[in-house]
């Protein structure tokens, strides 16, 4: 079989469909290269002194793991000098990171969750990197946080890398979803799945059940009906998976269907759930929609939410279309 590399795939997209600009191609290649470096670090584990806590807190008040900090630095360094970006923003940084003056400024904005699934690092379970790309608003001048506050529909590219038994990169530029596997010997990304599609129906759900007592009524109803199985209103048995790395859960759903939920709950009525809109929910929502699935916050499309702050949180329901539509309808009932 003839192998298609990430570079070749992107060049073809640029040439035939005019789907991406040369600058966006460079951006994606640089992010992919940074993910390769992160994957290499992840693979070293205790031998690379990358496990454990960094003993610092990020803006979300979460204790940072060493690998959160390392991955953030790898992504920042890789993307600073290429001339394709105006600024970056990350889960691990309070404010935006403008491109230093010594480098040329490009027209794109990059956001990332450098290391998703931090609680799984030290136990050798799949983790990942999530990223989202926007265009800087025209005539923006010096980049500021406001420039990033665009709805997810404006994303020009989104993707994630998953560091599991295999390292994979899943990418969309708005023309379907493709998956690349890292050839560890050659150090190259090879196209291994074209145009991934999420089955519309599923018998598998993913939610952190330990929060059940805190859920709102629509989520209680939806999950209870699934748990009731064959003799319940759904008349079929469901299976459950929860990896606690969104990348790994979404990757499973892209491959065989399923619904992933991280709802808001009653613990803190002012908090709309755990996941962050700009660099977790939006890129995943774009990928899932591009693969024929759906992604809502229980009310409407995640991608249509107009953000008001960089680190804003959002309830997330995404995956197989018919299931996401059902739980969303329960919120409106
Ligand atoms: P992060 O490691 O970037 O903070 O994100 C972790 C997220 C997400 O990946 C996962 O689905 C969820 O948190 C797990 O939450 P619980 O610990 O509540 O299961
Ligand atoms: Mn995350
Ligand atoms: Mn993270």
């Amino acid at each position: 079989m003839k192998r298609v590399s990430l570079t070749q795939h992107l060049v073809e997209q640029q040439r035939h469909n005019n789907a991406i600009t040369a600058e966006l191609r460079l951006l994606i290649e640089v992010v992919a290269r940074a993910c390769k470096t992160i994957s290499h670090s992840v693979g070293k584990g205790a031998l690379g002194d990358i496990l454990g806590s960094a003993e610092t807190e990020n803006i979300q008040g979460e204790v940072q793991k060493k690998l959160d900090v390392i991955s953030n630095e790898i992504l920042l360094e890789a993307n600073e000098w290429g001339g394709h970006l105006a600024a970056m923003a990350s889960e691990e940084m309070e404010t935006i990171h403008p491109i230093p003056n010594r480098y040329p400024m490009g027209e794109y904005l990059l956001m990332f969750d450098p290391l998703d699934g931090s609680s799984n690092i030290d136990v050798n379970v799949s983790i990942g990197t999530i990223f989202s790309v926007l265009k800087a608003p025209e005539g923006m001048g010096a980049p500021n946080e406001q420039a990033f506050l665009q709805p997810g529909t404006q994303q020009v590219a989104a993707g994630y890398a998953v560091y599991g038994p295999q390292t994979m990169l899943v990418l969309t530029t708005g023309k379907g979803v493709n998956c690349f596997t890292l050839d560890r010997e050659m150090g190259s990304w090879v196209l291994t799945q074209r145009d991934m599609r999420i089955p519309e129906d599923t018998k598998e759900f993913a939610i952190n059940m330990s929060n059940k007592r805190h859920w709102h009524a629509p989520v209680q109803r939806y999950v209870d009906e699934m748990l009731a199985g064959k003799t319940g209103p759904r008349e079929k048995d469901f299976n459950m998976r929860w990896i606690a790395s969104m990348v790994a859960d979404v990757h499973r759903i892209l491959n065989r269907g399923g619904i992933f939920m991280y709802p808001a709950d009653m613990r803190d009525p002012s908090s709309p759930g755990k996941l962050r809109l700009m660099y977790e929910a939006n890129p995943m929502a774009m990928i899932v929609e591009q693969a024929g699935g759906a992604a809502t916050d229980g009310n409407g499309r995640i991608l249509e939410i107009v953000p008001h702050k960089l680190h804003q949180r959002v309830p997330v329901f995404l995956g197989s279309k018919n299931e996401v539509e059902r739980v969303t309808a329960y919120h409106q009932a």
Side-chain angles (χ1 to χ4, degrees):
M1 190 186 78
K2 192 181 164 301
R3 286 163 56 126
V4 176
S5 68
L6 175 66
T7 304
Q8 189 178 350
H9 170 80
L10 292 173
V11 168
E12 277 166 12
Q13 268 205 314
Q14 190 187 334
R15 222 179 259 157
H16 298 310
N17 307 331
N18 234 358
I20 56 168
T21 62
E23 237 184 47
L24 181 57
R25 174 164 72 82
L26 175 63
L27 189 166
I28 292 167
E29 289 204 74
V30 172
V31 170
R33 197 177 312 139
C35 291
K36 215 188 294 181
T37 310
I38 298 170
S39 172
H40 189 71
S41 263
V42 168
K44 287 195 164 158
L47 307 179
D49 193 26
I50 52 124
L51 303 183
S53 163
E55 273 146 31
T56 46
E57 269 192 10
N58 68 9
I59 166 73
Q60 345 264 344
E62 301 159 342
V63 177
Q64 291 176 302
K65 294 290 179 80
K66 277 187 200 160
L67 205 57
D68 288 321
V69 177
I70 295 169
S71 308
N72 192 58
E73 271 162 19
I74 290 172
L75 281 156
L76 288 179
E77 258 177 42
N79 282 285
E80 266 185 356
W81 49 269
H84 50 283
L85 286 181
M88 292 178 255
S90 158
E91 174 181 306
E92 304 302 337
M93 300 185 297
E94 179 166 5
T95 53
I96 67 158
H97 179 95
I99 296 302
N101 286 334
R102 60 183 182 280
Y103 299 121
M105 204 170 100
E107 57 174 341
Y108 292 102
L109 302 171
L110 174 65
M111 281 174 287
F112 42 82
D113 174 354
L115 207 289
D116 176 67
S118 304
S119 73
N120 283 325
I121 300 170
D122 294 350
V123 291
N124 197 12
V125 170
S126 293
I127 49 184
T129 298
I130 311 172
F131 67 94
S132 159
V133 185
L134 293 165
K135 248 190 157 165
E138 286 202 14
M140 168 185 67
N144 50 31
E145 187 171 318
Q146 188 59 37
F148 285 83
L149 302 182
Q150 308 178 34
T153 48
Q154 297 298 107
Q155 292 172 106
V156 293
Y160 65 80
V162 56
Y163 314 116
Q166 305 136 42
T167 289
M168 289 180 161
L169 180 77
V170 169
L171 177 69
T172 182
T173 54
K175 298 236 166 13
V177 180
N178 294 299
C179 179
F180 303 83
T181 303
L182 181 62
D183 179 331
R184 289 182 167 128
E185 279 91 58
M186 303 298 287
S188 62
W189 294 104
V190 182
L191 180 61
T192 43
Q193 280 166 282
R194 270 181 209 273
D195 202 18
M196 299 174 87
R197 305 299 296 170
I198 302 176
E200 289 189 356
D201 290 295
T202 180
K203 288 180 166 188
E204 208 159 64
F205 68 96
I207 191 166
N208 185 339
M209 286 290 293
S210 70
N211 296 325
K212 188 172 196 302
R213 68 193 181 285
H214 304 298
W215 295 342
H216 294 290
V219 181
Q220 294 281 4
R221 174 185 169 196
Y222 177 67
V223 174
D224 280 344
E225 286 182 3
M226 287 191 289
L227 294 177
K230 256 203 173 83
T231 54
R234 300 296 309 270
E235 297 175 345
K236 61 177 182 181
D237 290 335
F238 284 80
N239 195 7
M240 195 198 88
R241 288 287 184 274
W242 184 253
I243 301 176
S245 293
M246 189 194 200
V247 274
D249 279 309
V250 168
H251 193 70
R252 181 190 61 254
I253 288 170
L254 268 179
N255 279 286
R256 67 172 190 219
I259 179 168
F260 171 93
M261 293 170 275
Y262 214 115
D265 63 37
M266 290 180 300
R267 267 172 296 184
D268 176 3
S270 67
S271 167
K274 177 179 187 185
L275 299 175
R276 276 64 45 125
L277 174 64
M278 304 300 287
Y279 40 79
E280 289 180 317
N282 267 342
M284 290 310 200
M286 181 179 183
I287 291 166
V288 164
E289 283 198 6
Q290 282 291 318
T296 77
D297 66 352
N299 279 302
R301 277 173 87 202
I302 285 173
L303 293 180
E304 285 175 15
I305 296 172
V306 180
H308 54 87
K309 61 178 190 196
L310 194 56
H311 297 291
Q312 161 172 356
R313 293 173 195 260
V314 66
V316 173
F317 301 88
L318 62 75
S320 290
K321 203 165 184 233
N322 292 337
E323 291 302 320
V324 174
E325 281 173 3
R326 176 183 286 265
V327 68
T328 306
Y330 286 8
H331 281 79
Q332 272 125 36

